[in-house]
DNA sequence: TATGAACACGAAAACGTTGTAGTGACATTA
DNA sequence: TAATGTCACTACAACGTTTTCGTGTTCATA
């Protein structure tokens, strides 16, 4: 790569000092009109742009915010990033994305390379590995140093920082409620392992709705799937219950779509024999047949809110107390539950 | 945010010079064992980490690569980023993602803020707005300065730089060929406006396959959709042809899924009355019913290749000639074309 | 004829780091 | 005793920028 032109080189060219060049380019009237114009023309010709590293170092500000997400190939996370990007850009910030790939170690490593001057603040959704390990030292370090930090979606309540979460309990509740309203009696729940907080919270909502309707939750109808290769096999077990469920509530779109596929293979009519409902963030729900009723999560909004909280914290270190924003969900009713 | 600890502060604490501290922390044996240990303990306690901005400025290297994509909420682009991230990380680089939102202006702006010292190299997929405007000055500037640049997917042949593309012609060809093989005679093509190169190239492949089979391409069967709100209406026109097509080849997953939905509504049996085939990068194809046969694009690989080319160029400015990698596609045959 | 603006520029510090080239103090060698 | 070495440390430049505080000239004013 060619060497970029610097103030120093321009100064040498004109036999003046660096300060003079800097001022000339900034249209300072300390510099005579004639020299100013010559310098500007020259700089323009060589396409001079101030080196941002130097500026960042001087101003002790990078205008970059870091984002660490578990994976990017996930519609929900992309929408969040989109929201972050849009808001951040508006405010003059750039976004640096890193992936933890759900791994504790990568999360730690990412934080360690990011939080050393490269970024002004950090937005994170906690990796599965970290939740499993239940080790949050790397976040506590940041918090101890008052480093601007916002957690979203996968958060940990013990950490003292701003947070943005989906109303997972509410989502689970209204999903189950809807299934009950259409007359379902035996609702199977497809959820994740317990340490995944969002799955756990959605289950809480489901349980609440059931109790509210005077129904007991039969643990046989709760399937805690692990994200392995054999999702099909794991979900098939739903249909081996003594009394088949008449509705399935899945905590994500994929589980729901697979369940529906299996149900159809086994000859169930949807929604008549069995209703299916998922949480969504992607496009699958719209294109299955029948299209899936689902709890939609507003990822874009979540991203925007996260960026807003972060930038507020960066710019006005003011407010000492931390905010916890809750993004509510919508129930998008499609054919899979219309009966 | 609390002030981070610096070499200077440590030096002041011990009444020694900055260099001494720097060397002590680097285990230099120029420094006596005793002092070295004390300094290291102190630095450790205060969690000293060298400021990366300072290092980047000094070393004239950021180890960050910039990526500009048209949009992130698009499975294909996320997989590419994933590939870039993985490869870059392996090589010790971080990734900074920016979105052009398909806009020429934002693309220009992004390049201008990135290519000023913040990044060592840039990977871009050209915005639709830029293709429409046919204005590539911002890239030419970079190339003129020998700035490491890799274009992927949406490229422009006139630009002298490394490129990674999908074999769109080949994909279009094998898609059409497959439809012909299963006995289709009238294949409708759902593609994009001409200035979108990937759409245009896939059409070339389609045309080639048709000619190869001794068939003329009837332009009435070619639908150039624009990405507006009324995709449904636009695609419905396919079914208003005098002689209905017996196969549909769509240049992306959404077009294909919508076409299939409409076809089913109109009472067509898939694949018997009409076969449907799309290009995919996402999960929709798997969960439609019937599942969609599609040309799969290896986004992850594309990302890896792009990062590889870029980092090679950054590190060994060597090779003067530019590479053009072609990632070939796979045809994943599902139910929508099995007859 | 001093005084003091106005003008047009330069010096230097600061941001945080690293590496090269000193520099004293002491010990060893011829 | 003088030259040489070693040890343990410091000074300084460099990366590129901005900004505050000079400083020397010219010109007008009292």
């Amino acid at each position: 790569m060619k060497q970029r032109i610097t103030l120093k080189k321009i100064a040498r060219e004109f036999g003046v000092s660096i300060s003079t060049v800097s001022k000339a380019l900034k249209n300072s009237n300390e510099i005579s009109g004639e020299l100013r114009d010559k310098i500007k023309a020259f700089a323009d010709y060589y396409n001079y742009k101030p080196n941002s590293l130097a500026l960042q170092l001087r101003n002790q500000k990078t205008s970059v915010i870091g984002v660490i997400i578990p994976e990017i190939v996930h519609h929900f996370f992309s929408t969040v990033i989109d929201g972050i990007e849009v808001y951040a850009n508006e405010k003059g910030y750039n976004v640096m994305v890193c992936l933890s790939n759900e791994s504790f170690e990568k999360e730690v490593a990412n934080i360690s390379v990011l939080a050393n001057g490269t970024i002004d603040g950090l937005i994170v959704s906690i990796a599965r590995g970290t939740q499993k390990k239940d080790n949050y030292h790397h976040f506590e370090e940041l918090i101890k140093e008052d480093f601007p930090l916002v957690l979203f979606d996968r958060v940990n309540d013990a950490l003292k920082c701003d947070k943005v979460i989906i109303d997972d309990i509410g989502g689970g509740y209204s999903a189950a409620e809807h299934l009950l309203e259409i007359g379902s009696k035996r609702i199977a729940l497809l959820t994740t392992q317990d340490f995944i907080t969002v799955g756990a919270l959605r289950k809480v909502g489901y349980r609440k709705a059931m109790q509210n309707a005077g129904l007991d939750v039969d643990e046989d109808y709760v399937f805690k799937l692990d994200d392995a290769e054999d999702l099909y096999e794991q979900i098939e077990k739903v249909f081996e219950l003594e009394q088949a469920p008449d509705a399935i509530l899945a905590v994500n779109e994929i589980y729901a779509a697979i369940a529906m596929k299996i149900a159809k293979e086994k000859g169930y009519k949807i929604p008549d024999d069995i209703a299916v409902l998922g949480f969504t963030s992607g496009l699958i729900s719209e294109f299955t047949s029948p299209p899936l009723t689902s709890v939609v999560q507003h990822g874009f909004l979540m991203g925007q809110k996260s960026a807003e909280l972060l930038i507020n914290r960066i710019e006005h270190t003011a407010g000492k107390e931390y905010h916890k924003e809750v993004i509510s969900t919508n129930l998008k009713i499609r054919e899979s539950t219309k009966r």
Side-chain angles (χ1 to χ4, degrees), chain A:
Chain A
M1 180 170 54
K2 274 187 197 134
Q3 283 291 20
R4 296 194 61 82
I5 190 149
T6 66
L7 292 183
K8 193 195 261 188
K9 288 184 200 154
I10 303 182
R12 209 180 293 140
E13 185 72 20
F14 285 88
V16 298
S17 77
I18 295 180
S19 347
T20 305
V21 178
S22 173
K23 287 173 188 166
L25 293 178
K26 290 197 127 39
N27 274 322
S28 158
N29 52 0
E30 277 185 53
I31 308 299
S32 72
E34 197 192 352
L35 181 57
R36 207 167 51 191
D37 292 346
K38 278 198 293 185
I39 290 182
K40 280 181 15 184
F42 185 86
D44 218 50
Y45 179 76
Y46 283 102
N47 195 19
Y48 170 79
K49 300 253 182 59
N51 178 305
S52 23
L53 281 183
L55 288 181
Q56 291 173 21
L57 181 59
R58 171 167 226 278
N59 302 329
Q60 296 289 81
K61 166 147 186 84
T62 64
S63 292
V64 174
I65 71 188
V67 179
I68 304 180
I69 52 172
E71 46 173 339
I72 197 167
V73 187
H74 199 305
H75 196 270
F76 174 66
F77 286 119
S78 331
T79 54
V80 176
I81 294 204
D82 203 15
I84 294 176
E85 235 273 340
V86 165
Y87 188 90
N89 251 271
E90 237 168 57
K91 297 289 181 178
Y93 286 77
N94 269 78
V95 175
M96 191 147 160
V97 177
C98 295
L99 310 181
S100 62
N101 281 321
E102 303 286 10
S103 136
F104 170 76
E105 284 76 19
K106 263 209 86 181
E107 191 174 271
V108 172
N110 275 329
I111 289 186
S112 141
V113 307
L114 284 183
N116 285 306
T118 358
I119 57 173
D120 288 346
L122 188 57
I123 299 179
V124 186
S125 187
I126 301 177
R128 209 156 284 201
T130 305
Q131 296 188 314
K132 203 163 191 171
K133 224 171 183 136
D134 200 29
N135 182 338
Y136 300 95
H137 289 338
H138 45 314
F139 294 114
E140 283 156 5
E141 284 297 325
L142 291 178
I143 292 168
K144 211 175 68 192
E145 318 232 321
D146 271 336
F147 189 89
L149 171 68
V150 174
L151 255 31
F152 76 91
D153 196 44
R154 312 240 202 105
V155 307
N156 179 286
D157 279 333
L159 295 171
K160 297 250 172 293
C161 64
D162 292 319
K163 298 177 190 110
V164 184
I165 54 169
I166 297 275
D167 179 12
D168 285 305
I169 299 187
Y173 184 88
S174 57
E177 192 185 43
H178 172 66
L179 290 173
L180 291 167
E181 272 170 4
I182 61 168
S184 315
K185 303 285 176 213
R186 295 177 306 282
I187 306 177
L189 179 68
L190 298 185
T191 183
T192 55
Q193 307 280 81
D194 279 334
F195 64 86
I196 313 278
T197 47
V198 296
L201 291 174
R202 287 168 191 177
K203 183 179 166 187
V204 171
Y206 155 84
R207 184 183 298 275
K208 235 167 84 181
M210 296 290 273
Q211 286 168 346
N212 212 31
L215 294 171
D216 280 340
V217 171
D218 182 344
E219 287 297 331
D220 288 348
Y221 282 76
V222 175
F223 295 82
K224 294 178 184 168
L225 312 178
D226 42 29
D227 255 5
E229 295 298 304
D230 62 338
L231 268 178
Y232 269 83
E233 286 73 17
Q234 293 182 60
I235 295 178
E236 254 175 350
K237 298 234 168 69
V238 175
F239 300 93
E240 293 165 8
L241 287 166
E242 223 168 302
Q243 254 209 317
D246 56 3
I248 295 180
L249 198 175
V251 299
N252 67 48
E253 181 165 66
I254 305 276
Y255 293 178
I258 294 178
M260 200 155 83
K261 218 168 167 179
I262 297 176
K264 287 196 293 184
E265 277 167 24
K266 300 218 182 260
Y268 289 84
K269 292 256 172 288
I270 302 173
D272 302 312
D273 300 338
I274 190 165
V276 183
L277 189 158
F279 274 68
T280 188
S281 52
L283 300 172
I284 296 177
S285 300
E286 204 177 325
F287 292 108
T288 55
S289 62
L292 263 167
T293 291
S294 36
V295 179
V296 330
Q297 314 164 63
H298 303 287
F300 185 84
L301 204 101
M302 185 159 214
Q304 280 190 311
K305 261 288 164 226
S306 305
E308 189 187 331
L309 286 178
L310 186 69
I311 292 176
N312 272 339
R313 196 150 288 277
I314 292 173
E315 296 186 349
H316 338 284
T317 313
K320 249 304 167 206
E321 69 289 357
Y322 295 104
H323 300 276
K324 183 172 187 172
E325 292 275 350
V326 179
I327 309 279
S328 52
T329 58
N330 270 13
L331 191 63
K332 172 78 187 176
I333 298 177
R334 297 203 184 85
E335 310 304 321
S336 73
T337 63
K338 279 190 188 149
R339 48 184 180 203

